[in-house]
Amino acid sequence: MKSNNRYLGALIIAPFIIFVFLGGAWLEGLTIVLSALGLHEFYNALKQKEFNPISIVGYLLLIGYYILNNDLGLLTYLVVFATFILLIIPVINLKYTFIDVAITLLGFLYVGVLFSFLHLVNIKFGGQYLVWLIFIGSWMTDTSAYYAGRFFGKHKLCPKVSPKKTIEGSIGGMLGATIFCGIFGIVVSKYVYIMPLYHYFIIGALCGVFSQFGDLVASSVKRYVGIKDYSNLIPGHGGILDRFDSILFSGLVVFYYLTFIVCI
């Protein structure tokens, strides 16, 4: 039954790939939906520990950010103003504390903003190809880490956060992401030149490292609040944050590398 649920979950996830192929407004629309669902999961998870995030403000921030067209410069003004307003709320309503204010802002930045890098990479020069590095880097890290850990894993990586992960699996995940992103770069470069080939390998290596941190961050939150999955939205896979936790981090890595190193 568990195996069947995973196959059903995979079928549910598959249409997401179509939106990545379509890109543009379609991918942005998907990103907004994923952000809203992920933010809902994050706030609900923290309520298990009797925290009380001011959810409505988080959703309003998400809407405002997309109205501002994902402008990272204007995001600073948005977050500062939101902090100003949020800090007043616990004074007016003793139901909330400054911890709830911090969690509200963290949820927006962690889920809402990090998801937006899918769209921000997509609209760059060559973005219709480069956005795939986010998914290849993340998925190949997961897959390679699983098999490397299964066959060679002996030393635990972070036993208190994720007991099944091993150092050998982690190394295998990084190598897998590096190789497959590099192969992707070789194929793409035959049809369109976007950047020197070595950048694809470097991006793969970075995704191989930081997408694992994305996974571990999600695991640390779940372990802290005492839940197995963020939700049951995707059968056999958990919730949006369970499935896309590593993509949140690989998206930022790809965007920052392309922006500040490749300069595109």
Side-chain angles (χ1 to χ4, degrees):
M1 180 64 71
K2 184 176 181 181
S3 176
N4 290 337
N5 282 341
R6 289 191 68 84
Y7 288 129
L8 177 60
L11 287 174
I12 294 173
I13 294 171
F16 293 165
I17 297 175
I18 297 174
F19 285 86
V20 181
F21 271 114
L22 293 173
W26 291 97
L27 181 57
E28 183 179 19
L30 174 65
T31 302
I32 294 171
V33 172
L34 293 177
S35 298
L37 292 173
L39 191 57
H40 176 71
E41 290 179 351
F42 182 78
Y43 287 153
N44 272 357
L46 291 174
K47 288 177 182 178
Q48 304 301 313
K49 270 287 185 177
E50 299 184 354
F51 292 118
N52 196 19
I54 310 169
S55 303
I56 184 63
V57 176
Y59 299 135
L60 288 174
L61 281 170
L62 187 63
I63 293 170
Y65 177 51
Y66 279 95
I67 288 176
L68 294 174
N69 201 29
N70 305 134
D71 189 313
L72 294 176
L74 294 176
L75 174 64
T76 303
Y77 294 104
L78 181 65
V79 171
V80 170
F81 182 72
T83 303
F84 171 73
I85 297 298
L86 280 166
L87 286 172
I88 295 172
I89 292 178
V91 177
I92 299 173
N93 188 343
L94 298 181
K95 171 185 174 182
Y96 301 104
T97 70
F98 70 96
I99 297 295
D100 299 323
V101 168
I103 289 171
T104 301
L105 289 169
L106 176 63
F108 164 65
L109 292 172
Y110 170 47
V111 183
V113 175
L114 292 192
F115 256 127
S116 73
F117 287 111
L118 292 175
H119 171 64
L120 291 174
V121 169
N122 182 242
I123 61 177
K124 282 183 172 292
F125 169 74
Q128 68 269 38
Y129 303 104
L130 298 175
V131 70
W132 288 101
L133 289 171
I134 299 173
F135 295 94
I136 294 171
S138 175
W139 290 341
M140 289 301 103
T141 297
D142 290 345
T143 302
S144 301
Y146 171 77
Y147 285 106
R150 183 177 178 181
F151 292 110
F152 306 107
K154 293 182 179 179
H155 304 89
K156 297 297 182 181
L157 180 64
C158 296
K160 292 185 177 180
V161 176
S162 188
K164 294 182 179 180
K165 296 189 184 302
T166 63
I167 294 174
E168 292 82 2
S170 178
I171 294 172
M174 185 192 71
L175 291 175
T178 303
I179 293 169
F180 280 96
C181 284
I183 292 173
F184 175 78
I186 292 171
V187 174
V188 169
S189 296
K190 288 184 178 180
Y191 299 96
V192 58
Y193 179 82
I194 301 174
M195 59 185 178
L197 183 59
Y198 66 87
H199 286 303
Y200 291 93
F201 286 94
I202 295 175
I203 288 174
L206 291 173
C207 286
V209 173
F210 288 101
S211 65
Q212 294 186 61
F213 275 108
D215 191 340
L216 290 168
V217 166
S219 295
S220 70
V221 173
K222 289 187 289 185
R223 181 167 289 273
Y224 179 74
V225 300
I227 59 174
K228 183 179 182 296
D229 296 317
Y230 278 102
S231 75
N232 298 314
L233 182 64
I234 307 173
H237 293 266
I240 295 298
L241 293 182
D242 296 296
R243 184 65 271 177
F244 291 92
D245 49 7
S246 57
I247 285 174
L248 289 174
F249 275 48
S250 59
L252 181 145
V253 166
V254 172
F255 177 83
Y256 271 57
Y257 189 90
L258 294 174
T259 302
F260 297 108
I261 304 299
V262 184
C263 298
I264 59 175

